[in-house]
Amino acid sequence: MMRLTSKVYLLLCLCWLVVAACSPVRILEAEADAGFHLANYKTFDFYEVEASGVELEPYSQQLEQVKAEITRQLEQRGLSRSASQPDLKVNLGVVVAEKVQTRETNILTDPPYYVGQRRYTWKSREVEVGRYKQGTLSLHLVDNSRNELVWQGAAEGVVPEDNNEKLQKRISEGVARLVAKIPQ
């Protein structure tokens, strides 16, 4: 009976790893200052965004969704948002970059190129398959009384275009996975 239980446990662990590996959000880093625990803080607020321009405009609504999700996650962990002298200040960094997806040509599936006078040639090369946007969210927690960075983390994922519901789900998942890395 004991052998069966350990096999079931091992199978469940493997299934969990497969599901976690298939997540569209990837945590790049999560690093805490020595002795940092979120439970030592009661309040938080965000730094003001100091960016502008046409590049920021399309993402202003998404930035507000990120802030709302971070607020929700931190409140679930016992903190409350306060504009007057918060214990923690939250600094956000958001980068959205257009990426090109490519594939390498294969002699078995891609035809050779004709260069004239019966000279066919073939060489491996990268072929563009598509374009997508990749978003990276960096989150920094700063102890407001000491003005020192106490925790930092970053996550990245593909930004779904023209599907606000899917984007909101991706933001929620990414922020939840990132905030879960903060030591309680």
Side-chain angles (χ1 to χ4, degrees):
M1 184 68 176
M2 188 66 155
R3 215 179 272 158
L4 180 62
T5 307
S6 63
K7 286 182 181 180
V8 169
Y9 178 73
L10 181 63
L11 182 63
L12 287 174
C13 287
L14 287 173
C15 287
W16 182 83
L17 284 173
V18 168
V19 168
C22 294
S23 174
V25 176
R26 187 176 71 144
I27 302 298
L28 300 175
E29 68 173 329
E31 183 180 347
D33 199 24
F36 168 74
H37 295 285
L38 196 60
N40 296 339
Y41 299 89
K42 302 292 181 220
T43 59
F44 73 95
D45 199 16
F46 293 91
Y47 281 105
E48 292 297 320
V49 175
E50 294 182 7
S52 61
V54 291
E55 288 82 19
L56 186 63
E57 266 183 47
Y59 302 105
S60 61
Q61 180 184 359
Q62 288 80 8
L63 185 59
E64 290 305 315
Q65 290 173 341
V66 169
K67 287 170 95 172
E69 188 60 32
I70 290 171
T71 299
R72 191 174 75 75
Q73 292 290 331
L74 289 177
E75 286 175 347
Q76 283 181 351
R77 306 245 347 234
L79 277 74
S80 59
R81 189 168 178 183
S82 171
S84 65
Q85 294 298 357
D87 300 330
L88 281 176
K89 293 285 276 189
V90 179
N91 186 39
L92 293 176
V94 178
V95 176
V96 178
E98 186 168 322
K99 299 286 185 169
V100 177
Q101 182 180 7
T102 62
R103 71 171 179 84
E104 191 171 313
T105 56
N106 184 333
I107 195 161
L108 300 175
T109 58
D110 295 310
Y113 292 98
Y114 179 67
V115 290
Q117 297 301 316
R118 297 188 189 129
R119 292 186 188 157
Y120 288 93
T121 183
W122 188 93
K123 75 176 185 179
S124 177
R125 63 186 178 106
E126 294 290 316
V127 177
E128 182 177 320
V129 176
R131 293 180 179 265
Y132 64 96
K133 292 190 179 185
Q134 180 175 317
T136 304
L137 170 67
S138 60
L139 178 65
H140 301 132
L141 301 180
V142 177
D143 185 307
N144 198 24
S145 64
R146 300 180 317 196
N147 197 29
E148 289 181 9
L149 179 68
V150 291
W151 186 86
Q152 64 182 344
E156 74 177 5
V158 174
V159 177
E161 295 188 52
D162 302 328
N163 189 338
N164 198 34
E165 185 178 313
K166 193 172 185 180
L167 178 60
Q168 180 60 42
K169 184 178 177 184
R170 185 82 36 97
I171 288 171
S172 295
E173 179 186 351
V175 169
R177 289 188 63 200
L178 193 56
V179 171
K181 298 286 186 182
I182 301 173
Q184 188 62 35

Coordinates of all heavy atoms in Angstrom, one line a residue, residues 3-4 10 13-15 21-22 32 40 44 48 62-63 72 82 84 86 88 106 108 114 118 125 162 164 178:
R3 N 3.8 1.7 -1.3 CA 4.4 1.9 -2.6 C 3.4 2.5 -3.6 O 3.8 3.4 -4.3 CB 4.8 0.5 -3.2 CG 6.1 0.6 -4.0 CD 6.5 -0.7 -4.5 NE 7.4 -1.4 -3.6 CZ 7.6 -2.7 -3.5 NH1 7.0 -3.5 -4.3 NH2 8.4 -3.2 -2.6
L4 N 2.2 2.2 -3.5 CA 1.1 2.8 -4.4 C 1.0 4.3 -4.0 O 0.9 5.1 -4.9 CB -0.2 2.0 -4.2 CG -1.3 2.6 -5.1 CD1 -1.0 2.4 -6.5 CD2 -2.6 1.8 -4.7
L10 N 4.2 10.8 -6.6 CA 5.2 11.1 -7.7 C 4.5 11.5 -9.0 O 4.9 12.5 -9.6 CB 6.1 9.9 -7.9 CG 7.2 10.1 -9.0 CD1 8.1 11.2 -8.5 CD2 7.9 8.8 -9.2
C13 N 3.1 15.0 -8.6 CA 4.1 16.0 -8.7 C 4.6 16.2 -10.1 O 4.8 17.4 -10.6 CB 5.3 15.6 -7.8 SG 5.1 15.7 -6.1
L14 N 4.7 15.2 -10.9 CA 5.1 15.3 -12.3 C 4.0 16.0 -13.1 O 4.4 16.9 -13.9 CB 5.3 13.9 -12.9 CG 6.6 13.2 -12.5 CD1 6.7 11.8 -13.0 CD2 7.8 14.0 -12.9
C15 N 2.8 15.8 -12.8 CA 1.7 16.5 -13.5 C 1.7 18.0 -13.2 O 1.6 18.8 -14.1 CB 0.3 15.9 -13.1 SG 0.0 14.3 -13.9
A21 N 5.2 24.2 -16.2 CA 6.1 24.4 -17.3 C 5.4 25.0 -18.6 O 6.0 25.7 -19.4 CB 6.9 23.2 -17.7
C22 N 4.1 24.7 -18.7 CA 3.3 25.1 -19.8 C 2.7 26.5 -19.6 O 2.0 27.0 -20.5 CB 2.2 24.1 -20.1 SG 2.8 22.5 -20.7
A32 N 15.2 38.7 -2.6 CA 14.9 39.5 -1.4 C 16.1 39.9 -0.7 O 17.1 39.2 -0.7 CB 14.0 38.6 -0.5
N40 N 6.4 42.1 8.0 CA 6.9 43.2 8.8 C 6.3 44.6 8.3 O 6.6 45.6 8.9 CB 8.4 43.3 8.7 CG 9.0 42.1 9.4 OD1 8.4 41.4 10.2 ND2 10.3 41.8 9.0
F44 N 1.3 50.0 1.8 CA 2.1 50.2 0.6 C 1.4 51.2 -0.3 O 0.2 51.5 -0.1 CB 2.2 48.9 -0.2 CG 0.9 48.4 -0.9 CD1 0.7 48.7 -2.2 CD2 -0.1 47.7 -0.2 CE1 -0.5 48.3 -2.8 CE2 -1.2 47.3 -0.8 CZ -1.5 47.6 -2.1
E48 N 4.9 57.3 -8.5 CA 4.2 57.9 -9.7 C 5.0 57.4 -10.9 O 6.2 57.4 -10.9 CB 4.2 59.4 -9.6 CG 3.4 59.9 -8.4 CD 1.9 59.6 -8.6 OE1 1.4 59.7 -9.8 OE2 1.2 59.2 -7.6
Q62 N -3.7 48.9 -19.5 CA -3.0 47.7 -19.0 C -2.2 48.0 -17.8 O -2.1 47.2 -16.9 CB -2.2 47.0 -20.1 CG -3.0 46.4 -21.2 CD -3.5 47.4 -22.2 OE1 -3.2 48.5 -22.2 NE2 -4.4 46.9 -23.1
L63 N -1.5 49.1 -17.8 CA -0.7 49.5 -16.6 C -1.7 49.7 -15.4 O -1.3 49.2 -14.3 CB 0.0 50.8 -16.8 CG 1.0 51.3 -15.8 CD1 2.0 50.2 -15.5 CD2 1.6 52.6 -16.1
R72 N -4.5 44.0 -5.4 CA -5.4 42.9 -4.9 C -4.5 41.8 -4.3 O -4.8 41.3 -3.2 CB -6.2 42.3 -6.1 CG -7.2 41.3 -5.7 CD -8.0 40.9 -6.9 NE -7.3 40.0 -7.8 CZ -7.1 38.7 -7.5 NH1 -7.6 38.2 -6.4 NH2 -6.5 37.9 -8.4
S82 N -2.1 52.7 1.2 CA -2.2 54.0 1.9 C -1.3 55.0 1.2 O -0.1 54.8 1.0 CB -1.7 53.8 3.4 OG -1.7 55.1 4.0
S84 N -0.6 58.0 2.4 CA 0.2 58.9 3.4 C 1.2 58.0 4.1 O 0.8 57.1 4.9 CB -0.7 59.6 4.3 OG -1.4 58.6 5.2
P86 N 3.4 55.4 3.3 CA 3.3 53.9 3.3 C 4.6 53.3 3.8 O 5.7 53.9 3.6 CB 3.0 53.6 1.9 CG 3.6 54.7 1.1 CD 3.4 55.9 2.0
L88 N 5.9 50.5 2.5 CA 6.5 50.0 1.2 C 6.1 50.9 0.1 O 4.9 51.2 0.0 CB 6.1 48.6 0.9 CG 6.8 47.4 1.7 CD1 6.2 46.1 1.3 CD2 8.3 47.4 1.4
N106 N 14.9 23.5 -43.6 CA 15.3 22.1 -43.6 C 15.4 21.6 -45.0 O 14.4 21.8 -45.8 CB 14.2 21.4 -42.8 CG 14.6 19.9 -42.6 OD1 15.3 19.3 -43.4 ND2 14.1 19.4 -41.5
L108 N 15.0 18.7 -46.1 CA 14.0 17.7 -46.4 C 12.6 18.3 -46.7 O 11.8 17.7 -47.4 CB 13.8 16.7 -45.2 CG 15.1 15.9 -44.9 CD1 14.9 15.1 -43.6 CD2 15.5 15.1 -46.0
Y114 N 16.8 28.0 -57.3 CA 17.4 28.0 -58.7 C 18.1 29.3 -58.9 O 17.6 30.4 -58.7 CB 16.3 27.8 -59.7 CG 16.8 27.8 -61.1 CD1 17.6 26.7 -61.5 CD2 16.5 28.8 -62.0 CE1 18.1 26.7 -62.8 CE2 16.9 28.8 -63.3 CZ 17.7 27.7 -63.7 OH 18.2 27.7 -65.0
R118 N 20.9 25.8 -64.6 CA 20.8 24.5 -63.9 C 21.6 24.4 -62.6 O 22.0 23.3 -62.2 CB 21.1 23.3 -64.8 CG 20.2 23.3 -66.0 CD 20.5 22.0 -66.8 NE 19.7 22.1 -68.0 CZ 20.2 21.9 -69.2 NH1 21.5 21.6 -69.4 NH2 19.4 22.0 -70.2
R125 N 18.8 28.7 -43.5 CA 18.7 30.1 -43.1 C 17.4 30.2 -42.2 O 16.6 29.3 -42.1 CB 18.6 31.0 -44.3 CG 17.4 30.7 -45.2 CD 17.4 31.5 -46.5 NE 16.3 31.2 -47.3 CZ 15.2 32.0 -47.4 NH1 15.2 33.2 -46.9 NH2 14.2 31.7 -48.2
D162 N -5.5 42.2 -29.2 CA -6.9 42.2 -29.6 C -7.8 41.3 -28.8 O -8.8 40.8 -29.2 CB -7.1 41.9 -31.1 CG -6.3 42.9 -31.9 OD1 -6.1 44.1 -31.5 OD2 -5.8 42.5 -33.0
N164 N -8.8 41.6 -24.8 CA -8.6 42.2 -23.5 C -8.8 41.2 -22.4 O -8.2 41.2 -21.3 CB -9.5 43.4 -23.3 CG -9.0 44.3 -22.2 OD1 -7.9 44.4 -22.0 ND2 -10.0 44.9 -21.5
L178 N 4.3 36.3 -9.5 CA 5.4 37.1 -9.1 C 5.3 37.4 -7.6 O 6.3 37.3 -6.8 CB 5.5 38.4 -9.9 CG 6.7 39.2 -9.8 CD1 8.0 38.4 -10.1 CD2 6.6 40.4 -10.8

